[in-house]
Amino acid sequence: MGVTANLILASASPRRLALLQQIGIVPDRVVAADLDETPLKLETPRELAGRLSRAKANAVFAALETPGFVLAADTVVCVGRRILPKAETDQEVADCLKLLSGRNHRVLTGVAAIAPGGRVSARVVETRLGFKRLSAVELKAYVASGEGLGKAGGYGIQGIAGGYVTQLVGSYTSVVGLPLYETRCLLEGAGYKVA
């Protein structure tokens, strides 16, 4: 039987909030964790996604005035061991898409949940995707759309870039930013009452 303590989403991502609401979970508060997301030397993409999700959850949990549940996530896009940035400029979006064009890549989303007593549960969900070979016109149009800004790997699958995906093996919602099945399991395991 779940506990009815507050749930804090440790992410400012509107996509993560919308995904939670899709399965009937409405956080009581949204508190973004402000962390340096630079990969550590020799850190693998999987290790980075796991470390950042746990660090975000821990940072928000440590700042709570009253105990509650904390949920955090972090998404990493990679080609092999090469970690793509969260694209902040048009040039970064273009660079990411040129690298992804006609290739397979992985999206790893780390999810961490902390129970009011401080117990941490976490996992990393891996999804493999293939992209079509993008023409110069498609690349230019996508960059101009602005959709890739602020997104890991320079694209959002829930928009125009969804039409570039030739295959997806794993969790679609994880690529959007929050694997719903695993998130629900982590919250229930932590004692949070999920409807």
Side-chain angles (χ1 to χ4, degrees):
M1 184 108 173
V3 180
T4 56
N6 284 348
L7 173 64
I8 295 91
L9 175 61
S11 172
S13 166
R15 294 169 298 283
R16 289 191 178 115
L17 183 59
L19 284 167
L20 278 177
Q21 291 170 343
Q22 181 181 317
I23 59 170
I25 298 174
V26 180
D28 297 283
R29 284 190 295 148
V30 174
V31 180
D34 186 23
L35 299 176
D36 179 1
E37 298 186 14
T38 306
L40 302 175
K41 189 174 181 179
L42 302 178
E43 190 170 37
T44 67
R46 175 176 291 279
E47 290 167 346
L48 176 64
R51 176 177 64 84
L52 290 178
S53 63
R54 288 188 307 275
K56 289 175 180 181
N58 283 322
V60 170
F61 186 81
L64 292 179
E65 293 178 10
T66 56
F69 292 93
V70 175
L71 177 70
D74 192 80
T75 300
V76 173
V77 177
C78 61
V79 176
R81 285 182 59 105
R82 181 173 176 180
I83 297 169
L84 277 63
K86 183 183 287 186
E88 300 299 340
T89 65
D90 286 350
Q91 187 59 55
E92 284 184 331
V93 172
D95 291 345
C96 286
L97 286 183
K98 284 176 189 171
L99 186 63
L100 296 172
S101 177
R103 299 177 77 167
N104 293 332
H105 65 281
R106 293 178 298 147
V107 175
L108 299 133
T109 298
V111 183
I114 303 182
R119 186 171 58 89
V120 180
S121 303
R123 68 175 54 158
V124 176
V125 177
E126 178 176 320
T127 303
R128 296 178 179 271
L129 298 98
F131 255 34
K132 74 182 284 295
R133 186 168 303 284
L134 300 173
S135 69
V137 171
E138 288 169 322
L139 185 65
K140 186 175 180 181
Y142 190 74
V143 171
S145 76
E147 277 192 5
L149 292 172
K151 295 190 176 73
Y155 78 93
I157 195 172
Q158 68 278 16
I160 297 165
Y164 305 153
V165 177
T166 60
Q167 64 177 352
L168 185 151
V169 179
S171 168
Y172 172 83
T173 58
S174 180
V175 179
V176 177
L178 192 68
L180 291 180
Y181 170 74
E182 292 81 1
T183 297
R184 182 185 179 110
C185 289
L186 283 177
L187 286 172
E188 287 177 335
Y192 182 77
K193 189 174 181 182
V194 179

